[in-house]
PDB file of all heavy atoms in Angstrom:
ATOM      1  N   ASP A 148       7.466  13.912   7.704  1.00  0.00           N
ATOM      2  CA  ASP A 148       7.576  13.243   9.000  1.00  0.00           C
ATOM      3  C   ASP A 148       8.973  12.639   9.168  1.00  0.00           C
ATOM      4  O   ASP A 148       9.632  12.804  10.202  1.00  0.00           O
ATOM      5  CB  ASP A 148       6.502  12.150   9.072  1.00  0.00           C
ATOM      6  CG  ASP A 148       6.424  11.492  10.438  1.00  0.00           C
ATOM      7  OD1 ASP A 148       6.593  12.193  11.444  1.00  0.00           O
ATOM      8  OD2 ASP A 148       6.192  10.273  10.495  1.00  0.00           O
ATOM      9  N   ARG A 149       9.461  11.969   8.113  1.00  0.00           N
ATOM     10  CA  ARG A 149      10.789  11.354   8.165  1.00  0.00           C
ATOM     11  C   ARG A 149      11.893  12.403   8.190  1.00  0.00           C
ATOM     12  O   ARG A 149      12.926  12.211   8.838  1.00  0.00           O
ATOM     13  CB  ARG A 149      10.963  10.418   6.970  1.00  0.00           C
ATOM     14  CG  ARG A 149      10.157   9.131   7.108  1.00  0.00           C
ATOM     15  CD  ARG A 149      10.166   8.316   5.842  1.00  0.00           C
ATOM     16  NE  ARG A 149       9.485   7.044   6.049  1.00  0.00           N
ATOM     17  CZ  ARG A 149       8.838   6.379   5.105  1.00  0.00           C
ATOM     18  NH1 ARG A 149       8.781   6.881   3.886  1.00  0.00           N
ATOM     19  NH2 ARG A 149       8.245   5.223   5.366  1.00  0.00           N
ATOM     20  N   ILE A 150      11.672  13.501   7.470  1.00  0.00           N
ATOM     21  CA  ILE A 150      12.649  14.584   7.496  1.00  0.00           C
ATOM     22  C   ILE A 150      12.777  15.140   8.918  1.00  0.00           C
ATOM     23  O   ILE A 150      13.880  15.331   9.439  1.00  0.00           O
ATOM     24  CB  ILE A 150      12.256  15.703   6.510  1.00  0.00           C
ATOM     25  CG1 ILE A 150      12.409  15.214   5.062  1.00  0.00           C
ATOM     26  CG2 ILE A 150      13.099  16.955   6.736  1.00  0.00           C
ATOM     27  CD1 ILE A 150      11.845  16.174   4.031  1.00  0.00           C
ATOM     28  N   PHE A 151      11.625  15.387   9.552  1.00  0.00           N
ATOM     29  CA  PHE A 151      11.638  15.869  10.930  1.00  0.00           C
ATOM     30  C   PHE A 151      12.379  14.896  11.838  1.00  0.00           C
ATOM     31  O   PHE A 151      13.246  15.288  12.621  1.00  0.00           O
ATOM     32  CB  PHE A 151      10.201  16.052  11.443  1.00  0.00           C
ATOM     33  CG  PHE A 151       9.490  17.257  10.886  1.00  0.00           C
ATOM     34  CD1 PHE A 151       8.113  17.354  10.978  1.00  0.00           C
ATOM     35  CD2 PHE A 151      10.180  18.297  10.280  1.00  0.00           C
ATOM     36  CE1 PHE A 151       7.436  18.451  10.490  1.00  0.00           C
ATOM     37  CE2 PHE A 151       9.515  19.406   9.780  1.00  0.00           C
ATOM     38  CZ  PHE A 151       8.137  19.476   9.885  1.00  0.00           C
ATOM     39  N   LEU A 152      12.023  13.608  11.722  1.00  0.00           N
ATOM     40  CA  LEU A 152      12.618  12.607  12.605  1.00  0.00           C
ATOM     41  C   LEU A 152      14.108  12.427  12.321  1.00  0.00           C
ATOM     42  O   LEU A 152      14.914  12.282  13.240  1.00  0.00           O
ATOM     43  CB  LEU A 152      11.887  11.271  12.453  1.00  0.00           C
ATOM     44  CG  LEU A 152      10.449  11.225  13.001  1.00  0.00           C
ATOM     45  CD1 LEU A 152       9.770   9.918  12.621  1.00  0.00           C
ATOM     46  CD2 LEU A 152      10.439  11.398  14.509  1.00  0.00           C
ATOM     47  N   GLY A 153      14.484  12.420  11.021  1.00  0.00           N
ATOM     48  CA  GLY A 153      15.882  12.220  10.654  1.00  0.00           C
ATOM     49  C   GLY A 153      16.780  13.337  11.153  1.00  0.00           C
ATOM     50  O   GLY A 153      17.924  13.089  11.562  1.00  0.00           O
ATOM     51  N   HIS A 154      16.252  14.547  11.160  1.00  0.00           N
ATOM     52  CA  HIS A 154      17.056  15.685  11.631  1.00  0.00           C
ATOM     53  C   HIS A 154      17.002  15.829  13.149  1.00  0.00           C
ATOM     54  O   HIS A 154      17.861  16.488  13.725  1.00  0.00           O
ATOM     55  CB  HIS A 154      16.593  16.967  10.948  1.00  0.00           C
ATOM     56  CG  HIS A 154      17.035  17.067   9.520  1.00  0.00           C
ATOM     57  ND1 HIS A 154      18.283  17.511   9.156  1.00  0.00           N
ATOM     58  CD2 HIS A 154      16.406  16.755   8.355  1.00  0.00           C
ATOM     59  CE1 HIS A 154      18.402  17.480   7.835  1.00  0.00           C
ATOM     60  NE2 HIS A 154      17.272  17.018   7.322  1.00  0.00           N
ATOM     61  N   ALA A 155      16.010  15.215  13.788  1.00  0.00           N
ATOM     62  CA  ALA A 155      15.943  15.257  15.249  1.00  0.00           C
ATOM     63  C   ALA A 155      16.912  14.260  15.871  1.00  0.00           C
ATOM     64  O   ALA A 155      17.564  14.548  16.873  1.00  0.00           O
ATOM     65  CB  ALA A 155      14.519  14.978  15.722  1.00  0.00           C
ATOM     66  N   ASN A 156      17.018  13.061  15.249  1.00  0.00           N
ATOM     67  CA  ASN A 156      17.880  12.008  15.797  1.00  0.00           C
ATOM     68  C   ASN A 156      18.078  10.958  14.708  1.00  0.00           C
ATOM     69  O   ASN A 156      17.096  10.423  14.179  1.00  0.00           O
ATOM     70  CB  ASN A 156      17.230  11.385  17.036  1.00  0.00           C
ATOM     71  CG  ASN A 156      18.149  10.396  17.749  1.00  0.00           C
ATOM     72  OD1 ASN A 156      18.965   9.720  17.121  1.00  0.00           O
ATOM     73  ND2 ASN A 156      18.004  10.311  19.064  1.00  0.00           N
ATOM     74  N   ASP A 157      19.329  10.636  14.375  1.00  0.00           N
ATOM     75  CA  ASP A 157      19.610   9.666  13.310  1.00  0.00           C
ATOM     76  C   ASP A 157      18.996   8.299  13.610  1.00  0.00           C
ATOM     77  O   ASP A 157      18.570   7.581  12.691  1.00  0.00           O
ATOM     78  CB  ASP A 157      21.119   9.511  13.110  1.00  0.00           C
ATOM     79  CG  ASP A 157      21.732  10.722  12.417  1.00  0.00           C
ATOM     80  OD1 ASP A 157      20.978  11.457  11.759  1.00  0.00           O
ATOM     81  OD2 ASP A 157      22.952  10.921  12.542  1.00  0.00           O
ATOM     82  N   LEU A 158      18.921   7.904  14.885  1.00  0.00           N
ATOM     83  CA  LEU A 158      18.377   6.588  15.233  1.00  0.00           C
ATOM     84  C   LEU A 158      16.869   6.514  15.042  1.00  0.00           C
ATOM     85  O   LEU A 158      16.312   5.417  14.952  1.00  0.00           O
ATOM     86  CB  LEU A 158      18.735   6.239  16.686  1.00  0.00           C
ATOM     87  CG  LEU A 158      20.177   5.809  16.950  1.00  0.00           C
ATOM     88  CD1 LEU A 158      20.365   5.491  18.427  1.00  0.00           C
ATOM     89  CD2 LEU A 158      20.563   4.601  16.093  1.00  0.00           C
TER      90      LEU A 158
END
Side-chain angles (χ1 to χ4, degrees):
D148 186 37
R149 287 171 175 150
I150 291 171
F151 286 163
L152 290 172
H154 285 277
N156 187 328
D157 287 339
L158 284 180

